[in-house]
Amino acid sequence: MSSTLMINFEDFLRRLVGVSCAGALVAVISVCSSSMAMAEPLAPTATVDRLHSALLEAMKDADALGFEGRKGKLAPVITESFDLAFICKVILGRRWDELSRDEHAQMIDTFTRLTVTTYAARFDGFSGESFRIVEEKPMNRGRELVRTELIRPADEPVHLDYVMHRTKGQWRIVNVVAEGVSDLSLKRADYGSVIKRDGFETLMQKLEAQIDDLKNGA
Amino acid sequence: MERRTQCSAVLHSLLLCTVLSACATTPADKGVDTPDPLEPMNRAFFAFNDTLDKAVLGPVSRGYAKVTPKPAQTGIRNFFDNLGYIETIINNFLQGKIEDGLEDILRVVINSTFGLGGLNDFAGDIGFPQRDEDYGQTLAVWGVGPGFYLELPIFGPSTLRDAATIPASTVSSPLFYADTAVALSGRGVDLVDTRARLESAIKLRDETALDRYIFQRDAWLQRRRNHIFDGNAPLEELDFFESPPQ
């Protein structure tokens, strides 16, 4: 009698443990999958799409928004879409390591303002342009290339290729290649030449002057 | 006899640049500073070209763009494109692009007849794409390296390989066989038209560059590489993040 009771109790315990284990397992799986779903980044093409949509909106409402309005609209999208800190590091190459933390922050801040100002100044009107994503290709070291076209009604399309990398759970742009010309490599050569001849402070002054020129010209 | 002279001139200059470029070829460089051993000389010629451009060529081409009606500009542009297309055809064949070459012959025939001597790009309208090939690109396809960067007076950006093909390119143009007065005025109009086409690129350079010489050199070299690969430069070339720093 007692042994039967014991078996029943053991069985009960086993079932209880089994159920709770299974329950825990289900709970763990559901937590994992929901957190995985949350961590799953937008596809590289989605980042590019979002940038292109913001640019088109800024172009279409260019006059109503004005230069400052376009800047305000584009700034959050540009800082989200581009890995600007990484871009600054690549542009300055070996010199990056020789600079202080404050100088790193200054470079990133200035370069971010220059990038936003440049986009706001250049995309200042609309004449029927549209963007088209041509294809996505894997590159070395887990990077992705998103090939796109800026289609212009009265002119040949412009080929714009975006090199993307995944960082902090998000696909971000690290280089724009227009008609085969890499923005990153051009800036690396151009900024490198200034910093080598005249130093970091002069580079910062020249970038600030460029921001002012773009503002005044807009 | 005359044709033989032309052929030997083409072969001679091709041979010359093969030899020159082979001597001067530097190893492939990925994102590290562009090798530029002639930088002081190049910068001097860049300054010369820049002065010439600011004083003469730029104002003349802007005047030309302002005064000449758009359809006339397009006509002149088409005419010179058609005239210079012989070099594209020759180089299509030299690169083994037989189909492109045959299609391009048809393109010139159509534009020279129905397109009124090349003024209209009639062939383009009916679906013949315009291509751009030259002896420098052919040498690159054959495996000849660029040598190093050269800034030439008046001609502008080039490489040792490309500069060596200028004689071949010159004798491939029908203008070379024209009456001196016709040839000179033809070259003059061509130069002004070419400068007018570059207006927006030069404006962009002047707005974007901190060091205009470096900017123009690197932008031109990259554009040139893209032309050599007919717009499809290998992806690896864009991926230089892990290469040794400058």
mmCIF file with all atom_site columns, all heavy atoms in Angstrom, chain B residues 146-159:
data_model
loop_
_atom_site.group_PDB
_atom_site.id
_atom_site.type_symbol
_atom_site.label_atom_id
_atom_site.label_alt_id
_atom_site.label_comp_id
_atom_site.label_asym_id
_atom_site.label_entity_id
_atom_site.label_seq_id
_atom_site.pdbx_PDB_ins_code
_atom_site.Cartn_x
_atom_site.Cartn_y
_atom_site.Cartn_z
_atom_site.occupancy
_atom_site.B_iso_or_equiv
_atom_site.pdbx_formal_charge
_atom_site.auth_seq_id
_atom_site.auth_comp_id
_atom_site.auth_asym_id
_atom_site.auth_atom_id
_atom_site.pdbx_PDB_model_num
ATOM 1   N N   . PRO B 1 146 ? 48.761 50.405 -64.790 1.00 0.00 ? 146 PRO B N   1
ATOM 2   C CA  . PRO B 1 146 ? 48.667 51.827 -65.138 1.00 0.00 ? 146 PRO B CA  1
ATOM 3   C C   . PRO B 1 146 ? 49.990 52.578 -65.063 1.00 0.00 ? 146 PRO B C   1
ATOM 4   O O   . PRO B 1 146 ? 50.095 53.685 -65.571 1.00 0.00 ? 146 PRO B O   1
ATOM 5   C CB  . PRO B 1 146 ? 47.698 52.380 -64.094 1.00 0.00 ? 146 PRO B CB  1
ATOM 6   C CG  . PRO B 1 146 ? 47.768 51.431 -62.955 1.00 0.00 ? 146 PRO B CG  1
ATOM 7   C CD  . PRO B 1 146 ? 48.100 50.091 -63.517 1.00 0.00 ? 146 PRO B CD  1
ATOM 8   N N   . GLY B 1 147 ? 51.015 51.940 -64.452 1.00 0.00 ? 147 GLY B N   1
ATOM 9   C CA  . GLY B 1 147 ? 52.210 52.744 -64.187 1.00 0.00 ? 147 GLY B CA  1
ATOM 10  C C   . GLY B 1 147 ? 51.822 53.707 -63.107 1.00 0.00 ? 147 GLY B C   1
ATOM 11  O O   . GLY B 1 147 ? 51.042 53.362 -62.232 1.00 0.00 ? 147 GLY B O   1
ATOM 12  N N   . PHE B 1 148 ? 52.312 54.948 -63.163 1.00 0.00 ? 148 PHE B N   1
ATOM 13  C CA  . PHE B 1 148 ? 51.851 55.878 -62.121 1.00 0.00 ? 148 PHE B CA  1
ATOM 14  C C   . PHE B 1 148 ? 51.055 57.017 -62.721 1.00 0.00 ? 148 PHE B C   1
ATOM 15  O O   . PHE B 1 148 ? 50.955 57.165 -63.931 1.00 0.00 ? 148 PHE B O   1
ATOM 16  C CB  . PHE B 1 148 ? 53.025 56.380 -61.281 1.00 0.00 ? 148 PHE B CB  1
ATOM 17  C CG  . PHE B 1 148 ? 54.299 56.547 -62.046 1.00 0.00 ? 148 PHE B CG  1
ATOM 18  C CD1 . PHE B 1 148 ? 54.445 57.610 -62.917 1.00 0.00 ? 148 PHE B CD1 1
ATOM 19  C CD2 . PHE B 1 148 ? 55.327 55.633 -61.913 1.00 0.00 ? 148 PHE B CD2 1
ATOM 20  C CE1 . PHE B 1 148 ? 55.623 57.763 -63.639 1.00 0.00 ? 148 PHE B CE1 1
ATOM 21  C CE2 . PHE B 1 148 ? 56.493 55.779 -62.631 1.00 0.00 ? 148 PHE B CE2 1
ATOM 22  C CZ  . PHE B 1 148 ? 56.644 56.843 -63.500 1.00 0.00 ? 148 PHE B CZ  1
ATOM 23  N N   . TYR B 1 149 ? 50.494 57.816 -61.823 1.00 0.00 ? 149 TYR B N   1
ATOM 24  C CA  . TYR B 1 149 ? 49.613 58.906 -62.238 1.00 0.00 ? 149 TYR B CA  1
ATOM 25  C C   . TYR B 1 149 ? 50.415 60.019 -62.909 1.00 0.00 ? 149 TYR B C   1
ATOM 26  O O   . TYR B 1 149 ? 51.529 60.344 -62.488 1.00 0.00 ? 149 TYR B O   1
ATOM 27  C CB  . TYR B 1 149 ? 48.885 59.458 -61.011 1.00 0.00 ? 149 TYR B CB  1
ATOM 28  C CG  . TYR B 1 149 ? 47.949 60.593 -61.327 1.00 0.00 ? 149 TYR B CG  1
ATOM 29  C CD1 . TYR B 1 149 ? 46.756 60.347 -61.998 1.00 0.00 ? 149 TYR B CD1 1
ATOM 30  C CD2 . TYR B 1 149 ? 48.263 61.902 -60.977 1.00 0.00 ? 149 TYR B CD2 1
ATOM 31  C CE1 . TYR B 1 149 ? 45.891 61.396 -62.306 1.00 0.00 ? 149 TYR B CE1 1
ATOM 32  C CE2 . TYR B 1 149 ? 47.395 62.948 -61.275 1.00 0.00 ? 149 TYR B CE2 1
ATOM 33  C CZ  . TYR B 1 149 ? 46.220 62.686 -61.943 1.00 0.00 ? 149 TYR B CZ  1
ATOM 34  O OH  . TYR B 1 149 ? 45.366 63.710 -62.241 1.00 0.00 ? 149 TYR B OH  1
ATOM 35  N N   . LEU B 1 150 ? 49.834 60.588 -63.962 1.00 0.00 ? 150 LEU B N   1
ATOM 36  C CA  . LEU B 1 150 ? 50.461 61.692 -64.682 1.00 0.00 ? 150 LEU B CA  1
ATOM 37  C C   . LEU B 1 150 ? 49.447 62.804 -64.880 1.00 0.00 ? 150 LEU B C   1
ATOM 38  O O   . LEU B 1 150 ? 48.338 62.537 -65.347 1.00 0.00 ? 150 LEU B O   1
ATOM 39  C CB  . LEU B 1 150 ? 50.870 61.219 -66.082 1.00 0.00 ? 150 LEU B CB  1
ATOM 40  C CG  . LEU B 1 150 ? 52.251 60.682 -66.364 1.00 0.00 ? 150 LEU B CG  1
ATOM 41  C CD1 . LEU B 1 150 ? 52.369 60.392 -67.850 1.00 0.00 ? 150 LEU B CD1 1
ATOM 42  C CD2 . LEU B 1 150 ? 53.327 61.665 -65.949 1.00 0.00 ? 150 LEU B CD2 1
ATOM 43  N N   . GLU B 1 151 ? 49.813 64.010 -64.543 1.00 0.00 ? 151 GLU B N   1
ATOM 44  C CA  . GLU B 1 151 ? 48.964 65.154 -64.885 1.00 0.00 ? 151 GLU B CA  1
ATOM 45  C C   . GLU B 1 151 ? 49.632 65.807 -66.095 1.00 0.00 ? 151 GLU B C   1
ATOM 46  O O   . GLU B 1 151 ? 50.764 66.286 -65.993 1.00 0.00 ? 151 GLU B O   1
ATOM 47  C CB  . GLU B 1 151 ? 48.881 66.110 -63.687 1.00 0.00 ? 151 GLU B CB  1
ATOM 48  C CG  . GLU B 1 151 ? 48.112 67.384 -63.933 1.00 0.00 ? 151 GLU B CG  1
ATOM 49  C CD  . GLU B 1 151 ? 46.605 67.282 -63.680 1.00 0.00 ? 151 GLU B CD  1
ATOM 50  O OE1 . GLU B 1 151 ? 46.182 66.418 -62.895 1.00 0.00 ? 151 GLU B OE1 1
ATOM 51  O OE2 . GLU B 1 151 ? 45.866 68.085 -64.294 1.00 0.00 ? 151 GLU B OE2 1
ATOM 52  N N   . LEU B 1 152 ? 48.946 65.792 -67.232 1.00 0.00 ? 152 LEU B N   1
ATOM 53  C CA  . LEU B 1 152 ? 49.541 66.326 -68.456 1.00 0.00 ? 152 LEU B CA  1
ATOM 54  C C   . LEU B 1 152 ? 49.054 67.755 -68.696 1.00 0.00 ? 152 LEU B C   1
ATOM 55  O O   . LEU B 1 152 ? 47.892 68.056 -68.451 1.00 0.00 ? 152 LEU B O   1
ATOM 56  C CB  . LEU B 1 152 ? 49.149 65.468 -69.653 1.00 0.00 ? 152 LEU B CB  1
ATOM 57  C CG  . LEU B 1 152 ? 49.592 64.008 -69.616 1.00 0.00 ? 152 LEU B CG  1
ATOM 58  C CD1 . LEU B 1 152 ? 48.963 63.244 -70.774 1.00 0.00 ? 152 LEU B CD1 1
ATOM 59  C CD2 . LEU B 1 152 ? 51.108 63.914 -69.686 1.00 0.00 ? 152 LEU B CD2 1
ATOM 60  N N   . PRO B 1 153 ? 49.959 68.614 -69.202 1.00 0.00 ? 153 PRO B N   1
ATOM 61  C CA  . PRO B 1 153 ? 49.505 69.968 -69.517 1.00 0.00 ? 153 PRO B CA  1
ATOM 62  C C   . PRO B 1 153 ? 48.394 69.889 -70.576 1.00 0.00 ? 153 PRO B C   1
ATOM 63  O O   . PRO B 1 153 ? 48.502 69.111 -71.520 1.00 0.00 ? 153 PRO B O   1
ATOM 64  C CB  . PRO B 1 153 ? 50.745 70.653 -70.086 1.00 0.00 ? 153 PRO B CB  1
ATOM 65  C CG  . PRO B 1 153 ? 51.876 69.717 -69.878 1.00 0.00 ? 153 PRO B CG  1
ATOM 66  C CD  . PRO B 1 153 ? 51.354 68.375 -69.550 1.00 0.00 ? 153 PRO B CD  1
ATOM 67  N N   . ILE B 1 154 ? 47.355 70.650 -70.409 1.00 0.00 ? 154 ILE B N   1
ATOM 68  C CA  . ILE B 1 154 ? 46.168 70.730 -71.285 1.00 0.00 ? 154 ILE B CA  1
ATOM 69  C C   . ILE B 1 154 ? 45.339 69.443 -71.285 1.00 0.00 ? 154 ILE B C   1
ATOM 70  O O   . ILE B 1 154 ? 44.139 69.474 -71.072 1.00 0.00 ? 154 ILE B O   1
ATOM 71  C CB  . ILE B 1 154 ? 46.511 71.170 -72.725 1.00 0.00 ? 154 ILE B CB  1
ATOM 72  C CG1 . ILE B 1 154 ? 47.197 72.549 -72.664 1.00 0.00 ? 154 ILE B CG1 1
ATOM 73  C CG2 . ILE B 1 154 ? 45.241 71.248 -73.599 1.00 0.00 ? 154 ILE B CG2 1
ATOM 74  C CD1 . ILE B 1 154 ? 47.843 72.976 -73.939 1.00 0.00 ? 154 ILE B CD1 1
ATOM 75  N N   . PHE B 1 155 ? 45.961 68.281 -71.473 1.00 0.00 ? 155 PHE B N   1
ATOM 76  C CA  . PHE B 1 155 ? 45.222 67.011 -71.494 1.00 0.00 ? 155 PHE B CA  1
ATOM 77  C C   . PHE B 1 155 ? 44.610 66.687 -70.119 1.00 0.00 ? 155 PHE B C   1
ATOM 78  O O   . PHE B 1 155 ? 43.578 66.066 -70.032 1.00 0.00 ? 155 PHE B O   1
ATOM 79  C CB  . PHE B 1 155 ? 46.126 65.840 -71.892 1.00 0.00 ? 155 PHE B CB  1
ATOM 80  C CG  . PHE B 1 155 ? 46.356 65.743 -73.374 1.00 0.00 ? 155 PHE B CG  1
ATOM 81  C CD1 . PHE B 1 155 ? 47.446 66.358 -73.966 1.00 0.00 ? 155 PHE B CD1 1
ATOM 82  C CD2 . PHE B 1 155 ? 45.480 65.031 -74.180 1.00 0.00 ? 155 PHE B CD2 1
ATOM 83  C CE1 . PHE B 1 155 ? 47.667 66.268 -75.330 1.00 0.00 ? 155 PHE B CE1 1
ATOM 84  C CE2 . PHE B 1 155 ? 45.688 64.937 -75.545 1.00 0.00 ? 155 PHE B CE2 1
ATOM 85  C CZ  . PHE B 1 155 ? 46.788 65.558 -76.127 1.00 0.00 ? 155 PHE B CZ  1
ATOM 86  N N   . GLY B 1 156 ? 45.300 67.082 -69.044 1.00 0.00 ? 156 GLY B N   1
ATOM 87  C CA  . GLY B 1 156 ? 44.781 66.797 -67.700 1.00 0.00 ? 156 GLY B CA  1
ATOM 88  C C   . GLY B 1 156 ? 45.190 65.443 -67.164 1.00 0.00 ? 156 GLY B C   1
ATOM 89  O O   . GLY B 1 156 ? 46.273 64.942 -67.474 1.00 0.00 ? 156 GLY B O   1
ATOM 90  N N   . PRO B 1 157 ? 44.312 64.812 -66.337 1.00 0.00 ? 157 PRO B N   1
ATOM 91  C CA  . PRO B 1 157 ? 44.676 63.565 -65.658 1.00 0.00 ? 157 PRO B CA  1
ATOM 92  C C   . PRO B 1 157 ? 44.959 62.415 -66.625 1.00 0.00 ? 157 PRO B C   1
ATOM 93  O O   . PRO B 1 157 ? 44.248 62.260 -67.613 1.00 0.00 ? 157 PRO B O   1
ATOM 94  C CB  . PRO B 1 157 ? 43.424 63.233 -64.824 1.00 0.00 ? 157 PRO B CB  1
ATOM 95  C CG  . PRO B 1 157 ? 42.639 64.482 -64.766 1.00 0.00 ? 157 PRO B CG  1
ATOM 96  C CD  . PRO B 1 157 ? 42.956 65.246 -66.000 1.00 0.00 ? 157 PRO B CD  1
ATOM 97  N N   . SER B 1 158 ? 45.980 61.632 -66.323 1.00 0.00 ? 158 SER B N   1
ATOM 98  C CA  . SER B 1 158 ? 46.306 60.456 -67.121 1.00 0.00 ? 158 SER B CA  1
ATOM 99  C C   . SER B 1 158 ? 47.198 59.522 -66.295 1.00 0.00 ? 158 SER B C   1
ATOM 100 O O   . SER B 1 158 ? 47.466 59.789 -65.132 1.00 0.00 ? 158 SER B O   1
ATOM 101 C CB  . SER B 1 158 ? 47.027 60.883 -68.402 1.00 0.00 ? 158 SER B CB  1
ATOM 102 O OG  . SER B 1 158 ? 47.117 59.810 -69.295 1.00 0.00 ? 158 SER B OG  1
ATOM 103 N N   . THR B 1 159 ? 47.581 58.426 -66.919 1.00 0.00 ? 159 THR B N   1
ATOM 104 C CA  . THR B 1 159 ? 48.595 57.564 -66.311 1.00 0.00 ? 159 THR B CA  1
ATOM 105 C C   . THR B 1 159 ? 49.674 57.345 -67.367 1.00 0.00 ? 159 THR B C   1
ATOM 106 O O   . THR B 1 159 ? 49.469 57.673 -68.542 1.00 0.00 ? 159 THR B O   1
ATOM 107 C CB  . THR B 1 159 ? 48.035 56.189 -65.924 1.00 0.00 ? 159 THR B CB  1
ATOM 108 O OG1 . THR B 1 159 ? 47.535 55.565 -67.110 1.00 0.00 ? 159 THR B OG1 1
ATOM 109 C CG2 . THR B 1 159 ? 46.930 56.278 -64.886 1.00 0.00 ? 159 THR B CG2 1
#
